[in-house]
Each structure stands twice: as structure tokens, then as C-alpha cells.
């Protein structure tokens, strides 16, 4: 492989775009390959379909410098040295891998694979998928992984809204089908991204590392959510408990309880623990923690909606005539991604209780919000909160940090429900001084 390899990134969604832009930013020539013609056309004309801080600027710069181009034609990969696969890997109802995107990508690549190619799978998959599915599909009559081409798995561990920073900071995990593949992938990432690379013994080790990360995160948030419910019973602020509990050293770090909130969304944490559960069950082992984490976190939107309804009651308002405004509809702060957003569950329960729900989110596509929630989003915060009995901050985008609560045209009194803002105590005191009630998850 040359010192400065040329790269094809297959699948130009969140992970593909961030990876391609970062590789191009590091001076490599990159081609993004996707089956979505509209997406490829948009990228070619400088229109990005994602809201990720810094990504649009990076894509624009790389495109203008001709280090990044886009195509639907898989023939483009044959001129590249490295092929990175970043297509979507959703799960089916039973937790098994919906491998259609991965299958189609491999079948299309097979035609254009040449000796010496390094193929790196980045999509999250159950252990054994790179060996059992990808290598099998890429195999031609005379083509063997590790002999005629190199094959490795390298999980993507970035989080949306901090994706570019994560990519430039997190160590990259690599496991190859053989030693030569592992070493080639290791060299590629050192040059391509410039971070530490952690070489693993096998494809399967690298596949499981990714699942372990998300299993831990989901379960830890579930612990924080149960702890929040527990603290609420004693009128204790869960954030005080977490801050103090996290100070004792354990293992190589500290106790590290994450933060509670309205629920867990996005395309990864909601599916990866199920992928683990299903893969284990398929081999006759029942894992409990994956399922418990998912169940606790999936119940949080209903818990939050009930909290809102209770607060309306405390204000003496009938939910059947009350108005609740939700600020932030995306699945987390500072992203425009609506995939598996917990806000959907909150809105469903509020609407069922007869509440009139209004929403605002500067980062999401209004048409998608209408389709998902059946509510037309208001254009400004002021319009959205007019005469509202409750303002529920369910994603604290940067645009909401400076909201002047004193000047909001809400009904009086009004309750602020904090689903993910984690307002500090001074801010809560200020809200109370202004005549608002305040309630947070576990606060
Ligand atoms: P995505 O849905 O945003 O993007 C997938 C892209 O692949 C789409 O643009 C789609 O058009 C394209 N595609 C589908 N079939 C194709 C084919 N046959 N050939 C070429 N392109 C094809 O998905 P994503 O969020 O970028 O996730 C990609 C993978 O990375 C998944 O396995 C996911 O679990 C994992 N992951 C995602 C994140 C995240 O934050 N989004 C983080 C870590 C890991």
C-alpha cells in the first residue's frame, strides 16, 4: 500500500461522511460511494444532509480542493487502495442483523475488488459477520481474504454532535482476518486519521469491542435513570448524588455514573444491545443486562410525560386544556437526527392525555417532524411557547442556552421541565425567582 493511499468510503451517511471528510482533511484522496442518487447529487453540489458541527465546512473545503468526490458507480473503488464500508446495519424485530445494506454493498464491491485491496468494515455488526458474511460475499472463485486481498474490522465509536472531535481523538480498534490485514489496517489508520491504533487478535475481538462500548453506555444510562427515579422519591437531586458518587477510584478510573434523561435515542444505543442479546441467544446463552438496560431506557419517555402531566396538575391545570411546548425534538443535544428520538414517546403520551403539544427545534427538518409527530413545528421559540403552561427542554441545543426566560410569552405560572438540560442550581434558582416551577428527571 502506498504511503498516501487513495480511499473509497462506501455508504455516505453519518459515519461515512465524517470519516471521508476527516481522511480528506488529512490530505488523502477520497471517493464517497453511495446508492442514494439524491444524496450523491446533493453532496456533489455542496448540500449536506446532516447537521453535525463543523462537518459542512470540512466537506466543502475537501470538495473544493478536489480531495473528496462522490459517486454512485462502484467501479470507482477499483482505482483506490483502501475500501471502507460504512453502510447502515439496522436490526430486525427479533434483534437479528438486517444485513441487506451490507450484503448489497459487498455484492457490488465484489465486481471491482483487485489484488492488494484493503477492505475495512466499519459498520457495527454481530461477532462473526465480517468473517462469515463479508469475506464469504467478497470471495470470488479464486479470491481469498488475507491472501488475494486484505480484510479488517474497525468499529466506529464516534457520537453524533461531537463526531469530528471524537474521530480525531479516540484510539482506533483494528482486528484483521490475519496478521498482514491487521498490520495494513493499522498503518492505514495511523496515516489516515493520525491517532493511536489498538491492534486486536481477531476480527471478532474488534467486533465485540464496539458492542461492549455501547452495551456499557446504555446500561450505565439505565442505572442513572433508575437512580433518578429513586432520588425523586426522597426529594434528592440526582446530579448531587452522581457528582459525589463518582469521586471514588475504581479499577483504572473512578465510579462513572452517566446522566439520566428523557430517554436514549439515535441509531446505535437503541439497537446494539439487542444485537448482543440476539447473538448470545442464538448460541444458547441468555444475557440479561442488555435487555434490562434497553427496557429501563425505553420507559423514560413515558416517565417524563407523566412528570409533565403531574406538574400541570400541581399548577392546577387540566391536561385536557393545557399547552406544553417541547424545545428540542432531536434524539440528543446539538444534532438534527430524529432517529429513535425519545421525544416521540413523550408526545404520544401527552397527546393521549389530551394535551395540546407544540414543538420547536432549529436543527431538524420540519417536514420530518410533521411526519413523525403529527405536529407542525413553530418557526421561533417565542411563537412556540406563547401561552404555554409548560416548557419542556428535551434537547438543549446551543441555540437554547441563552433563552431569556424572563421575556418568554408563556402562561403564568408555567413549569420548566428539564429532560436533558441539566440546569445548574443557580439557573434553577433564577427560574424560580422569575415565577417558574422547575422539575428535572430525578431533580
Ligand atoms: P446511515 O443510515 O446514516 O448511512 C448509511 C448510508 O449507507 C446511507 O447513506 C445509505 O444510502 C448508504 N447505503 C445503503 N446501502 C448501500 C449500499 N449497498 N452501497 C452503498 N451505500 C449504501 O448510517 P450511519 O449512522 O452512518 O451508520 C453506519 C454504520 O455505523 C452503522 O453500522 C451504525 O451502526 C454504525 N455507527 C453509527 C454511528 C452514528 O452515530 N450514526 C456511530 C457509530 C457507529
Amino acid at each position: 500500500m502506498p504511503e498516501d493511499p487513495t480511499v473509497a468510503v462506501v455508504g455516505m451517511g453519518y459515519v461515512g461522511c465524517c470519516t471521508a471528510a476527516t481522511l480528506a482533511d488529512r490530505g488523502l484522496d477520497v471517493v464517497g460511494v453511495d446508492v442514494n442518487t439524491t444524496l450523491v447529487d446533493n453532496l456533489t453540489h455542496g448540500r449536506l444532509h446532516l447537521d453535525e458541527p463543523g462537518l459542512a465546512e470540512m466537506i466543502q473545503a475537501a470538495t473544493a480542493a478536489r480531495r473528496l468526490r462522490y459517486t454512485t458507480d462502484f467501479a470507482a473503488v477499483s482505482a483506490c487502495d483502501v475500501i471502507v464500508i460504512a453502510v447502515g446495519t439496522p436490526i430486525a424485530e427479533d434483534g437479528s442483523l438486517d444485513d441487506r445494506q451490507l450484503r448489497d454493498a459487498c455484492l457490488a464491491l465484489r465486481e471491482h475488488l483487485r489484488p492488494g485491496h484493503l477492505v475495512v468494515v466499519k459498520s457495527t455488526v454481530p461477532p462473526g459477520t465480517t468473517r462469515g458474511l463479508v469475506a464469504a460475499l467478497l470471495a470470488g472463485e479464486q479470491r481469498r481474504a488475507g491472501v488475494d486481498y486484505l480484510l479488517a474490522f474497525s468499529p466506529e465509536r464516534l457520537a453524533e454532535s461531537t463526531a469530528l472531535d471524537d474521530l480525531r481523538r479516540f484510539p482506533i480498534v483494528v482486528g484483521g482476518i490475519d496478521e498482514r490485514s491487521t498490520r495494513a489496517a493499522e498503518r492505514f489508520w495511523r496515516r489516515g486519521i493520525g491517532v493511536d491504533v489498538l491492534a486486536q487478535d481477531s476480527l471478532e475481538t474488534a467486533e465485540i469491542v464496539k458492542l461492549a462500548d455501547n452495551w456499557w453506555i446504555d446500561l450505565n444510562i439505565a442505572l442513572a435513570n433508575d437512580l433518578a427515579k429513586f432520588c425523586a422519591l426522597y426529594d434528592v437531586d440526582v446530579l448531587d448524588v452522581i457528582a459525589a458518587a463518582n469521586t471514588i477510584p475504581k479499577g483504572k478510573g473512578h465510579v462513572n455514573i452517566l446522566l439520566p434523561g428523557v430517554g436514549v435515542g439515535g441509531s446505535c444505543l437503541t439497537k446494539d444491545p439487542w444485537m448482543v442479546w440476539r447473538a448470545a441467544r442464538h448460541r444458547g446463552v441468555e444475557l440479561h443486562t442488555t435487555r434490562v438496560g434497553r427496557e429501563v431506557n425505553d420507559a423514560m419517555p413515558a416517565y417524563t410525560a407523566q412528570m409533565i402531566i403531574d406538574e400541570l396538575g400541581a399548577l392546577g391545570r387540566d391536561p385536557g386544556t393545557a399547552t406544553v411546548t417541547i424545545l428540542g425534538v432531536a434524539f440528543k443535544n446539538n444534532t438534527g437526527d430524529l432517529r429513535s428520538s425519545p421525544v416521540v414517546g413523550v408526545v404520544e403520551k401527552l397527546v393521549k392525555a389530551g394535551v395540546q403539544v407544540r414543538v420547536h427545534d432549529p436543527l431538524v427538518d420540519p417536514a420530518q417532524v410533521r411526519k413523525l409527530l403529527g405536529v407542525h413545528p413553530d418557526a421561533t421559540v417565542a411563537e412556540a411557547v406563547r401561552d404555554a403552561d409548560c416548557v419542556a427542554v428535551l434537547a438543549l441545543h446551543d441555540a437554547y442556552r441563552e433563552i431569556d426566560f424572563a421575556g418568554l410569552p408563556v402562561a403564568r405560572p408555567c413549569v420548566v421541565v428539564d429532560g436533558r438540560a441539566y440546569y445548574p442550581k443557580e439557573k434553577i434558582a433564577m427560574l424560580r425567582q422569575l415565577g417558574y416551577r422547575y422539575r428535572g428527571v430525578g431533580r
Side-chain angles (χ1 to χ4, degrees):
M1 198 194 316
E3 189 114 318
D4 283 348
T6 51
V7 188
V9 175
V10 178
M12 287 295 281
Y14 238 104
V15 168
C17 278
C18 292
T19 307
T22 305
L23 292 168
D25 189 55
R26 297 259 310 165
L28 299 186
D29 280 333
V30 182
V31 56
V33 186
D34 203 291
V35 287
N36 183 334
T37 46
T38 314
L39 182 150
V40 166
D41 192 50
N42 279 339
L43 285 171
T44 306
H45 292 95
R47 293 184 295 268
L48 181 63
H49 54 295
L50 309 164
D51 219 313
E52 181 63 33
L55 183 60
E57 296 81 349
M58 229 164 128
I59 292 242
Q60 229 165 33
T63 311
R66 294 174 192 275
R67 281 198 307 275
L68 180 53
R69 62 192 178 85
Y70 318 92
T71 181
T72 53
D73 183 1
F74 275 77
V77 307
S78 59
C80 295
D81 303 301
V82 180
I83 300 165
V84 175
I85 301 181
V87 296
T89 48
I91 52 168
E93 279 280 299
D94 64 353
S96 63
L97 177 70
D98 172 352
D99 61 13
R100 283 173 292 181
Q101 296 186 34
L102 190 57
R103 243 171 214 285
D104 290 352
C106 291
L107 291 174
L109 279 175
R110 175 156 79 177
E111 309 296 311
H112 306 285
L113 212 56
R114 61 169 172 74
H117 259 147
L118 165 65
V119 177
V120 183
V121 179
K122 247 188 178 309
S123 305
T124 306
V125 291
T129 306
T130 309
R131 191 184 302 274
L133 184 77
V134 176
L137 290 173
L138 291 180
E141 266 171 35
Q142 302 280 321
R143 188 189 293 140
R144 278 166 305 158
V147 179
D148 305 299
Y149 74 101
L150 304 175
L151 178 64
F153 181 83
S154 239
E156 183 47 70
R157 302 190 293 164
L158 61 78
E160 291 180 26
S161 86
T162 52
L164 296 177
D165 237 29
D166 295 351
L167 261 173
R168 292 190 202 106
R169 251 174 353 108
F170 291 176
I172 293 186
V173 172
V174 160
I177 199 158
D178 64 345
E179 183 69 13
R180 214 157 60 93
S181 298
T182 308
R183 296 299 153 222
E186 202 178 347
R187 271 198 311 280
F188 164 60
W189 289 123
R190 283 223 169 86
R191 167 62 189 91
I193 308 276
V195 291
D196 284 349
V197 178
L198 309 174
Q200 305 298 314
D201 284 349
S202 67
L203 289 165
E204 289 73 18
T205 314
E207 288 169 333
I208 293 178
V209 167
K210 166 70 194 179
L211 297 170
D213 276 334
N214 279 356
W215 183 353
W216 182 89
I217 295 168
D218 195 53
L219 193 59
N220 192 317
I221 295 172
L223 166 67
N225 282 330
D226 266 0
L227 184 62
K229 289 185 244 164
F230 188 55
C231 287
L233 300 175
Y234 298 92
D235 208 9
V236 163
D237 187 336
V238 67
L239 295 198
D240 289 344
V241 172
I242 290 175
N246 282 356
T247 55
I248 60 161
K250 255 313 153 207
K252 286 188 177 164
H254 282 82
V255 167
N256 184 19
I257 304 171
L258 299 178
L259 294 171
V262 56
V264 168
S267 63
C268 292
L269 293 177
T270 52
K271 72 167 164 85
D272 295 352
W274 285 125
M275 212 182 249
V276 172
W277 173 80
R278 175 60 165 67
R281 188 168 234 224
H282 190 62
R283 293 185 168 226
V285 173
E286 188 70 25
L287 297 177
H288 299 286
T289 52
T290 48
R291 204 174 63 204
V292 165
R294 284 287 66 240
E295 284 168 359
V296 170
N297 292 333
D298 277 351
M300 288 313 289
Y303 179 85
T304 308
Q306 190 56 50
M307 207 167 84
I308 293 173
I309 291 167
D310 292 347
E311 285 299 312
L312 290 172
L315 285 181
R317 309 276 160 75
D318 172 3
T321 55
T323 299
V324 172
T325 300
I326 291 173
L327 300 182
V329 184
F331 85 87
K332 68 185 278 199
N333 301 353
N334 292 318
T335 172
D337 198 339
L338 284 166
R339 288 184 281 186
S340 302
S341 173
V343 176
V344 177
V346 178
V347 171
E348 275 171 7
K349 184 161 167 125
L350 290 177
V351 168
K352 221 179 240 172
V355 172
Q356 199 204 332
V357 177
R358 295 219 295 263
V359 300
H360 178 268
D361 192 315
L363 300 183
V364 301
D365 174 5
Q368 269 193 54
V369 174
R370 262 199 313 276
K371 203 163 136 200
L372 197 64
L373 301 178
V375 181
H376 180 80
D378 285 298
T380 65
V381 171
E383 272 173 52
V385 303
R386 188 166 299 285
D387 298 324
D389 302 289
C390 168
V391 176
V393 184
L394 299 190
L396 186 76
H397 300 320
D398 285 345
Y400 293 146
R401 287 196 183 273
E402 300 309 322
I403 288 178
D404 173 17
F405 279 92
L408 292 185
V410 293
R412 297 293 176 155
C414 174
V415 58
V416 172
V417 166
D418 178 352
R420 221 198 294 267
Y422 312 113
Y423 284 138
K425 289 199 169 146
E426 311 79 68
K427 173 96 175 184
I428 297 169
M430 187 269 283
L431 286 169
R432 288 190 173 132
Q433 244 173 13
L434 292 172
Y436 288 93
R437 278 176 70 86
Y438 170 87
R439 178 92 182 265
V441 177
R443 308 189 75 197

